Amino acid sequence: MKLLVQDDAIEVPRRPRGRPKLDDVAQIDTLLLDVALREFLAEGYGGTSLTRIVKIAGISKTTLYTRYPSKADLFAAICRRQIERFSAVTALRSPKGRLDLASGLEAYGNRTLEISLEGDLLHVNRLIYSESGRFPELGQAAAERTQLGIEDVSIFIRTCADAEGVPCRDPQAVAEAFIFMLRGWYVDVLLTNRHVSARDRQRWVANAVRTLLAGRAEW
């Protein structure tokens, strides 16, 4: 699957000869992932050439393969970087104090859906859903990202259970249910390619959280 992306030139800095310094290594990694992301979105996963990536980035194949032995490893690194940049876990924390369970889940749900419906994260998700049937490694990358979300929400649920005096026998299972509720809605929006207003998204998240909490006594 090819996606239309903005055709902005990626500036390739000149590097001095010799062994790269730590700053140079970080710069190489950033450049490499920037170039790779652009190629994946423009050419699709199957159509992306590692040879072309190293040519555009101005690095050797050895430099690439030392960091990322395969195309799957390179794509997974892009997903990890997106997690670091756009993680919704910060929505579970408030500078004003601890969030209650409902408020925290609503904040997390709205944040994760908001960032997943815009920019490169949206394009990468479209790529994963369109090509994961032919390339199972894409599904694996998505599963790892999902698992991190489940772990974050599970910790929050356990913390709220202790603070609010409402026992939860299996926070992991509840977190899975919540994350997959969010994913189901997101995939429907993704596949139908429809625009959803912030107000409609917030209303849906509030209803989803309310439905989940209705069974809290059985958690």
Side-chain angles (χ1 to χ4, degrees), residues 88-94 97-99 103-105 107-109 149 152-153 156:
V89 68
T90 54
L92 297 174
R93 298 187 288 267
S94 170
R98 188 186 64 82
L99 294 173
S103 298
L105 292 180
Y108 182 90
D152 290 336
V153 173
F156 177 71

Side-chain angles (χ1 to χ4, degrees), residues 132-176:
S132 59
R134 290 189 299 144
F135 304 103
E137 59 266 35
L138 296 181
Q140 181 60 36
E144 291 174 1
R145 188 167 57 183
T146 298
Q147 188 57 43
L148 288 175
I150 291 172
E151 291 173 4
D152 290 336
V153 173
S154 176
I155 292 171
F156 177 71
I157 291 173
R158 185 180 297 109
T159 300
C160 287
D162 293 340
E164 297 170 13
V166 182
C168 181
R169 293 185 296 274
D170 195 347
Q172 183 84 5
V174 179
E176 287 181 357

Side-chain angles (χ1 to χ4, degrees), residues 20 52 68 89 108 121 161:
R52 175 173 164 82
Y68 311 109
V89 68
Y108 182 90
L121 195 55

Side-chain angles (χ1 to χ4, degrees), residues 152-211:
D152 290 336
V153 173
S154 176
I155 292 171
F156 177 71
I157 291 173
R158 185 180 297 109
T159 300
C160 287
D162 293 340
E164 297 170 13
V166 182
C168 181
R169 293 185 296 274
D170 195 347
Q172 183 84 5
V174 179
E176 287 181 357
F178 180 62
I179 291 296
F180 287 117
M181 289 171 75
L182 297 178
R183 173 180 281 190
W185 183 88
Y186 178 72
V187 171
D188 181 66
V189 172
L190 200 68
L191 296 180
T192 55
N193 198 32
R194 73 179 190 272
H195 172 72
V196 179
S197 68
R199 182 178 180 180
D200 287 342
R201 167 175 49 76
Q202 292 164 1
R203 183 186 300 114
W204 182 88
V205 170
N207 288 335
V209 170
R210 190 179 304 113
T211 300

Side-chain angles (χ1 to χ4, degrees), residues 57-70:
I59 63 175
S60 68
K61 287 186 177 180
T62 299
T63 299
L64 170 64
Y65 289 123
T66 297
R67 290 166 168 76
Y68 311 109
S70 68

